[in-house]
Amino acid sequence: MAVYRRRPRIRIVWLTVALFTVVALFGGLGFLMSEDRFPGVVLNTARLDSHIKYLSSLSLEGRAVGTEGEISAVQYIRGVLDTIGFKTTVQTVPLQGVTLPAVNLSIGSDNLRRGQDFVITSEAENVNIVELKDERILYGGYCIKTDGNPEDYDSFCSTDVRGRVILCLVNDPFEGPLTYYGRWVYKVEELRRRGAAGVLLVHTTESAGYGWNVLQSPDGGENIRLMSKDGEEGLKIRAWVAQHIAERILKISIDRAFEEANRGGLCMQETDMILHVRLDITRRELYGLNVIGQLDGSAGNNEHVILTSHHDHLGAIERNGEKVIYPGALDNASGVGKLLELATYFAAMKSQARCCKRKLVVITPTAEEAVLLGSSYYADHPLLPLAQCAAVLNMDGMNVWGPTTDSVGIGSERSTLGDILARAAREEGQRVAPDPAPEQGLFFRSDQLPFARKGVPAMKITHGFSFTNHEQDIDEYLNATVWDYNRNVYHQPVDTYEYLHEQGDPYSGAEQEFKVGARVLFDLLVRGFSPKWMPGEPFARFRS
Ligand SMILES: *[C@@H]1O[C@H](CO)[C@@H](O)[C@H](O)[C@H]1NC(C)=O
Ligand SMILES: *[C@@H]1O[C@H](CO)[C@@H](O)[C@H](O)[C@H]1NC(C)=O
Ligand SMILES: *[C@@H]1O[C@H](CO)[C@@H](O)[C@H](O)[C@H]1NC(C)=O
């Protein structure tokens, strides 16, 4: 009995030792080979270059929404994704193009000059003429009603604005970075919801963040918007007025107006200006195309991560009988190229069974240039429930001006995506620099926004400005590169493939962005990190 009792014990001891050894060995090897270890990545710059070259070629005529050029771009993007093993879908986005061939707008006894004094569009449905007569303009300051965050602020004070035309300042009165309440888009949504007839947004370069020329360009022609949902009443008039017109209506200087609105306690008030407006409306239906590619995760897992970069650009415009093409090489053929290369990287990882727990969904939305329409449409009609979307990364544009010591996450302070970015940057020998222009509300200006508004943690990854490859003073270098791009190239016909190559070293910076992006995606797709909004973040309440 004693023998029988002892021998099994010895066996148990040996078995335990053996088991530990095996576990330790495999565990160690497992760690070395673990799918959780980032295997490193190089950017195939030749392939990226060929994506950009094709997408920005003149034959695509600037990839305007609903044109042959967009169709060619979509076919190309889809072709690349199909080849590397993504399941692709092209989502048709029903749009309406609105032009106003005849416009008369007067305030008091003055006929205003279209283009110089105001720019205008209409959201009216089912009518070809809009006429508002003897409308007394209501002034609403910033036209904001908050829900206590960042603080209580109410411009409406229970005033019934149904059927009224309201003059609104753009921007917000709050300390710190611009909030969504500051965006003109918020004002339009809020007034539409309250049944107003129209809005006159006051333009100042400072409050809008861009000059009057951006509102008019290109040529103040057609305004593209999503087909309205059944029964939704749009604003009969949606206009921007120049600062001098706002001053004429308010009879005070614009600085005074901002001072008063900033102080708070300014309620909707009648002005003594009467407005007459008459618009002739023509509409056409058109369709934009969102390309969506899915790379499956572990079987049956609908959890996913979305990467976006819009493919549309401004198209071609007739000017003095000549066709002027806007190739949009940097904006945003380069972003799409980078997206395709990230897709290719993760497809290759998957074929080596090193990826992914979650699905990777890449989307190149249409109609970004017309206020994020493609991404908004996708967010309302997602292929996979957005409640199962762990995060959205937008990575458009590209740093063509050389390596930097920093990366930037637009919106990185809003969620723990910021921590993931910080780690990724560190591993690439970079640091994360803060948002360079918090007053401009960049988070609200590109394709991550519609997803954040559905509660999905979202961020746009971009480069910083600490360039390392220059001999002259950094300010001079920036002036000759990034600021020069903003002044002379952005949204101009010279945003071309050749422009990229004139920069000398267009791909070192891009490679850094690519590597940081790949690491962030790796954390989300393979390591399964689940970002959370920061406490108090307004977008958090939309998360289901
Ligand atoms: C509209 O304005 C134009 C010139 O600005 C003027 O000739 C025309 O009579 C106006 N039409 C109406 C209906 O007021
Ligand atoms: C690309 O498009 C985004 C909007 O999605 C915009 O914010 C960005 O400035 C564009 N990139 C460039 C290089 O213009
Ligand atoms: C920036 O460059 C422009 C020319 O592109 C020049 O006119 C201007 O003086 C420069 N500004 C600074 C601060 O160097």
Side-chain angles (χ1 to χ4, degrees):
M1 292 294 282
V3 173
Y4 276 110
R5 272 167 65 184
R6 202 174 288 145
R7 283 179 62 189
R9 266 197 199 153
I10 290 167
R11 273 201 202 132
I12 285 169
V13 170
W14 278 111
L15 273 175
T16 314
V17 169
L19 208 67
F20 265 116
T21 316
V22 169
V23 167
L25 203 66
F26 275 78
L29 276 178
F31 174 72
L32 284 177
M33 305 185 45
S34 156
E35 62 163 21
D36 272 15
R37 270 173 62 90
F38 184 72
V41 58
V42 282
L43 174 64
N44 185 327
T45 52
R47 218 166 39 206
L48 174 57
D49 193 73
S50 66
H51 297 322
I52 299 172
K53 190 172 186 181
Y54 177 76
L55 290 169
S56 63
S57 59
L58 292 178
S59 63
L60 268 57
E61 301 207 324
R63 309 182 304 281
V65 180
T67 63
E68 288 297 321
E70 178 177 36
I71 294 173
S72 301
V74 162
Q75 280 169 347
Y76 178 86
I77 295 164
R78 188 177 199 181
V80 173
L81 292 172
D82 280 336
T83 310
I84 59 177
F86 276 64
K87 193 167 72 199
T88 58
T89 314
V90 173
Q91 183 177 49
T92 303
V93 181
L95 300 166
Q96 196 178 60
V98 174
T99 19
L100 306 178
V103 172
N104 280 41
L105 179 82
S106 63
I107 287 177
S109 55
D110 301 333
N111 277 325
L112 303 193
R113 300 159 302 166
R114 187 180 189 183
Q116 286 116 298
D117 297 333
F118 70 97
V119 295
I120 194 164
T121 184
S122 173
E123 301 175 348
E125 294 286 337
N126 309 319
V127 290
N128 297 325
I129 293 172
V130 160
E131 192 153 20
L132 297 173
K133 275 190 173 155
D134 300 325
E135 266 300 319
R136 184 178 293 278
I137 299 171
L138 203 55
Y139 173 54
Y142 283 116
C143 301
I144 289 175
K145 166 121 176 67
T146 64
D147 54 4
N149 186 348
E151 57 186 72
D152 279 318
Y153 189 95
D154 184 4
S155 312
F156 290 90
C157 312
S158 338
T159 310
D160 185 358
V161 298
R162 267 176 300 174
R164 302 295 304 270
V165 174
I166 297 120
L167 180 76
C168 298
L169 300 175
V170 173
N171 224 304
D172 73 36
F174 312 121
E175 295 274 317
L178 187 78
T179 66
Y180 187 61
Y181 297 112
R183 292 284 294 148
W184 67 266
V185 187
Y186 161 80
K187 328 261 175 192
V188 167
E189 286 168 353
E190 186 59 26
L191 292 175
R192 197 190 285 139
R193 200 177 65 75
R194 289 171 182 260
V199 64
L200 308 176
L201 298 158
V202 179
H203 176 270
T204 69
T205 300
E206 202 183 332
S207 63
Y210 39 79
W212 183 256
N213 61 329
V214 171
L215 291 178
Q216 293 170 289
S217 78
D219 292 357
E222 186 178 46
N223 191 277
I224 294 177
R225 60 193 208 99
L226 286 173
M227 241 3 178
S228 53
K229 296 166 200 154
D230 281 344
E232 189 188 75
E233 276 285 328
L235 296 176
K236 292 195 174 85
I237 62 167
R238 203 177 90 191
W240 283 91
V241 295
Q243 177 178 330
H244 63 273
I245 301 299
E247 289 177 330
R248 207 181 299 166
I249 297 171
L250 294 173
K251 301 188 168 138
I252 53 174
S253 75
I254 206 69
D255 291 342
R256 264 283 297 291
F258 275 106
E259 264 166 46
E260 284 178 5
N262 285 337
R263 231 179 286 134
L266 177 76
C267 287
M268 286 281 158
Q269 50 186 249
E270 302 288 345
T271 65
D272 48 20
M273 280 298 179
I274 305 292
L275 167 141
H276 303 277
V277 64
R278 189 193 143 100
L279 316 171
D280 290 356
I281 305 177
T282 58
R283 301 183 185 81
R284 70 178 176 118
E285 281 182 20
L286 70 162
Y287 296 91
L289 303 170
N290 286 337
V291 186
I292 304 158
Q294 300 183 49
L295 185 69
D296 275 343
S298 316
N301 192 351
N302 261 345
E303 270 192 43
H304 62 290
V305 175
I306 295 178
L307 177 67
T308 60
S309 187
H310 75 89
H311 64 246
D312 68 304
H313 195 59
L314 305 173
I317 288 154
E318 286 284 321
R319 188 165 291 153
N320 308 327
E322 248 182 81
K323 190 191 260 176
V324 182
I325 295 175
Y326 291 72
L330 214 56
D331 182 7
N332 238 319
S334 66
V336 174
K338 224 162 41 175
L339 172 141
L340 291 176
E341 283 310 296
L342 282 165
T344 304
Y345 173 67
F346 283 99
M349 292 245 282
K350 184 174 157 70
S351 69
Q352 300 159 21
R354 305 188 74 157
C355 160
C356 300
K357 286 200 183 92
R358 291 187 173 121
K359 284 186 181 183
L360 171 58
V361 178
V362 296
I363 307 179
T364 74
T366 183
E368 186 274 343
E369 305 286 2
V371 228
L372 316 179
L373 301 182
S375 48
S376 300
Y377 187 83
Y378 180 86
D380 281 335
H381 305 87
L383 294 197
L384 300 170
L386 287 180
Q388 294 181 54
C389 179
V392 171
L393 295 180
N394 188 22
M395 266 197 77
D396 40 29
M398 185 170 102
N399 168 15
V400 292
W401 304 290
T404 61
T405 58
D406 48 2
S407 276
V408 171
I410 303 295
S412 63
E413 72 292 354
R414 295 176 182 274
S415 74
T416 54
L417 275 170
D419 303 334
I420 298 178
L421 175 66
R423 197 173 87 158
R426 205 163 47 238
E427 282 166 349
E428 290 300 331
Q430 289 189 319
R431 67 192 172 84
V432 173
D435 183 340
E439 72 291 352
Q440 285 184 22
L442 296 177
F443 188 72
F444 311 124
R445 291 193 185 182
S446 43
D447 287 318
Q448 66 278 351
L449 178 68
F451 296 96
R453 298 189 71 199
K454 301 282 179 187
V456 186
M459 176 174 71
K460 170 170 161 170
I461 302 182
T462 175
H463 61 91
F465 296 113
S466 304
F467 290 96
T468 55
N469 60 337
H470 52 90
E471 273 153 26
Q472 72 267 57
D473 179 68
I474 181 74
D475 290 328
E476 268 174 49
Y477 185 73
L478 284 170
N479 190 39
T481 53
V482 190
W483 311 148
D484 179 69
Y485 171 81
N486 288 346
R487 279 192 306 262
N488 302 321
V489 184
Y490 176 69
H491 282 198
Q492 299 300 324
V494 289
D495 180 358
T496 57
Y497 175 76
E498 288 70 28
Y499 168 80
L500 256 64
H501 285 275
E502 282 157 17
Q503 305 311 304
D505 178 17
Y507 288 118
S508 304
E511 175 148 37
Q512 289 180 317
E513 292 179 291
F514 176 80
K515 287 179 167 175
V516 169
R519 281 186 186 273
V520 172
L521 278 172
F522 188 85
D523 278 353
L524 297 167
L525 291 169
V526 181
R527 293 191 174 125
F529 289 11
S530 296
K532 301 273 176 295
W533 292 107
M534 290 302 177
E537 182 55 48
F539 296 107
R541 72 194 149 100
F542 303 119
R543 187 66 158 162
S544 42

